[in-house]
Structures are given as structure tokens and as C-alpha cells.
Amino acid sequence: MEGGGVSLAYGIQLPVQAQSALFAEGWEAGAGPADLVALARAVDGAGFDYLAACDHVAIPRRLAPAMSTVWYDPVATLAHLAAVTERVRLLSHVAVVGLRHPLLTAKQYATVDHLSGGRLILGVGAGHVREEFEVLGADFERRGAVLDETIDALRAALGSEEFPEHRGKFYDFGGLGQRPRPAQPEVPLWVGGSSPAAVRRAALKGDGWLPQGDPRERLPAQIARLRRLREEAGAEGPFTVGAIAEPLYVGRAGWEVGRRTLTGAPEEIAESLRAYRAMGVDQIQVRFRSRSRAELIEQIGLFGAQVAPRLD
């Protein structure tokens, strides 16, 4: 919703740091920190707007076969990658902020923003793993209401005041100082999720929306609702509408990349992705099919050099 004429932005949720069976490639199981650093540097060099890391504290056995237990901590990961990159922004997609007191979240992410020279985008979401909440003493049943208030508390705690104040139902604090402050005057806060409650929360409380895998055909109705809710509330200022694109493979793959994967010449892929901008999307999150770190780095470079310039 930042207006026409602006190029479609693009970012990536990094592999390796999250290895759900839904999307992880086979080679990631044997990958580690050196691979993550190499990929972050490739993304930085290819002009991507952001790189992202997920948030899960602990995965119960019942979900481990599908989700795996490989989930790097986003604060540690983004801070580490900030030190080996120069310009790419750092997104938590998404931080389950209801698991922690907002002053703790603010301390961690303000430090990341400070260390990175103001490159943080704080993506937040309600979470979905009951056992994580229970073991940490967080309220799973009321996680939506807690998230609503946590966003308000984070607005205060990540603002300009050294001694932020928040008075609410779940959290109440004041007279407690936190430095360093974020480098940015205002840290962008994007809200994740595609449920009616999540879309409403994004529209009314966020600076952007991170959908949870909405297919293309669902996006126009979701975006229309975002616009309507913001208009009715008199919400002003820039608002970034996101989308998660289909898996990509630039060029003609000599292997089976999957029926849903967008593949072909750069112009063909760009033409397909430009449809997102036409429906009101400001940034797309991309994921590439790959059989090795080297192939993924090649795909990242091809996208940045040959597809991205055609996204206008």
C-alpha cells in the first residue's frame, strides 16, 4: 500500500535456520553456520530487501516429524548475520512475542537494531504450538489478546524513550530504562498470519502484513479487507503488504523441481511475479528449489541480476 510506481520488493526466509519438512531441501540437514553466512552474503550482494529467520523455542515430539527440531534462535541468528552483511534488512518472520515479556523482547531486538545500524524489521505473530507456551508459562488460550497488547507495549519499548511506559491488562511497566536504543526512530512492525483476527491485527496495529501462505487467488480479498479496515480506522502512514511466492527455479532445471514451482527464463518468472504488484502487494518473499548450497547461491544471484530488474 505504498503506492504505484514503486518496484516490487523481494526478500527471503533463509534455509538452514528452519528446517520444517514442508519446505527444507535435503542438503540442509548437513548444513551449518558457514552455509548460513555464505547464503546471507549472497542475498546481501544480490540486492534482496531482507533476509528472515523464524522463532520456535522447543518442538514437541508429536510435531517433530513434520516440523523438525531445527529452529535457530532469531535474535542470535539475525545478530550474527548482521555482522557479516552490509545493507540487507533483518526480519523476524515471525517472532512469537507472547512467549516473552515485551521488555525482554524489546531489549533483544533493540540491540539487534543498534548493532546492525538500523536494519531490523520486527515481524510478530501469535504462535501455534501449545506446548511451547505451557512450558514457558505463557497463556496459549489468550495468545491473540496478549499479542494485541504486546504490540502496543513494544511500540513504547522500542520508541525513543529511554524509560518507556506501558499500562495494560497483561503488562504494566514504567520507570525502567533500556539502552542502547534502536538505531531507527521507529522500528517497522509487521504482523504475521492469515486468519481474520491476524489480518485485522495487521491492519490496525501493524506497519505491514506477512501472510501465512495465502495462495494467489486468496490475496485480493485479503488485501481488500486490509484496505477497508485501515480506512475505517483512519490509519495513516506507509503500510507494506507482503506475499509468499510459489517456489522458484530460474532457468530450465535438469531435475524435478515440483509441479507448483515457477520455472523458466527470467522474463517468464518476472512476468508471473509482477501479478503480485498488480493486486496490491508491496513485497514478495521468495524461496528457491536447490540441491546444494552452491546451486542456491547461483539461484539467488540469477534472481537478483536477471529477474529483479524486470519486476518494475
Side-chain angles (χ1 to χ4, degrees):
M1 294 185 186
E2 294 180 329
V6 181
S7 180
L8 183 64
Y10 55 99
I12 187 171
Q13 178 130 206
L14 287 176
V16 181
Q17 56 82 34
Q19 294 187 32
S20 166
L22 294 174
F23 51 71
E25 300 284 9
W27 65 268
E28 293 178 52
D35 303 285
L36 205 52
V37 166
L39 291 164
R41 285 175 167 153
V43 165
D44 194 35
F48 281 60
D49 289 272
Y50 67 79
L51 56 81
C54 285
D55 184 20
H56 278 293
V57 172
I59 306 301
R61 286 188 188 276
R62 68 179 178 89
L63 296 175
M67 292 181 66
S68 94
T69 59
V70 180
W71 297 87
Y72 286 35
D73 177 75
V75 177
T77 303
L78 294 176
H80 183 64
L81 298 180
V84 298
T85 56
E86 296 181 357
R87 47 150 300 279
V88 69
R89 302 204 72 173
L90 310 159
L91 169 67
S92 57
H93 187 181
V94 288
V96 184
V97 291
L99 294 175
R100 308 163 182 91
H101 192 287
L103 280 180
L104 175 58
T105 299
K107 166 59 73 174
Q108 293 174 317
Y109 283 102
T111 302
V112 171
D113 196 64
H114 178 79
L115 291 171
S116 68
R119 289 193 273 148
L120 176 70
I121 304 170
L122 182 56
V124 302
H128 66 94
V129 179
R130 176 183 291 274
E131 290 92 335
E132 281 185 311
F133 283 75
E134 291 174 346
V135 76
L136 295 172
D139 192 334
F140 182 78
E141 298 298 341
R142 293 193 293 175
R143 66 193 184 282
V146 170
L147 177 54
D148 284 339
E149 185 179 320
T150 299
I151 291 172
D152 295 335
L154 287 171
R155 291 277 191 202
L158 291 170
S160 59
E161 294 297 321
E162 180 181 350
F163 293 86
E165 288 203 14
H166 171 79
R167 308 296 175 195
K169 180 179 178 181
F170 301 106
Y171 304 110
D172 191 313
F173 55 83
L176 295 164
Q178 287 190 326
R179 293 181 69 186
R181 305 307 303 152
Q184 298 178 85
E186 292 186 18
V187 173
L189 203 153
W190 293 358
V191 177
S194 291
S195 69
V199 172
R200 181 177 183 82
R201 182 177 297 121
L204 302 183
K205 291 183 172 291
D207 303 309
W209 176 53
L210 292 163
Q212 187 64 40
D214 286 88
R216 289 191 191 210
E217 57 270 19
R218 282 194 60 194
L219 283 171
Q222 296 278 57
I223 294 169
R225 183 163 182 259
L226 281 168
R227 292 184 186 279
R228 185 173 68 254
L229 287 166
R230 288 181 61 78
E231 192 174 315
E232 290 170 354
E236 297 179 349
F239 188 88
T240 302
V241 176
I244 298 177
E246 300 84 352
L248 305 177
Y249 192 91
V250 184
R252 301 295 176 190
W255 55 288
E256 180 51 55
V257 294
R259 181 175 52 84
R260 289 185 59 250
T261 300
L262 289 179
T263 185
E267 174 52 36
E268 293 176 275
I269 294 175
E271 181 181 11
S272 181
L273 295 179
R274 285 196 297 267
Y276 283 105
R277 170 51 102 185
M279 65 177 73
V281 169
D282 300 298
Q283 67 88 8
I284 53 170
Q285 188 169 116
V286 297
R287 177 179 287 276
F288 303 96
R289 295 301 318 276
S290 61
R291 295 165 294 177
S292 65
R293 179 180 108 179
E295 186 170 32
L296 179 52
I297 287 175
E298 180 184 46
Q299 284 290 304
I300 288 167
L302 285 170
F303 187 89
Q306 299 183 26
V307 179
R310 296 176 161 96
L311 293 178
D312 292 349

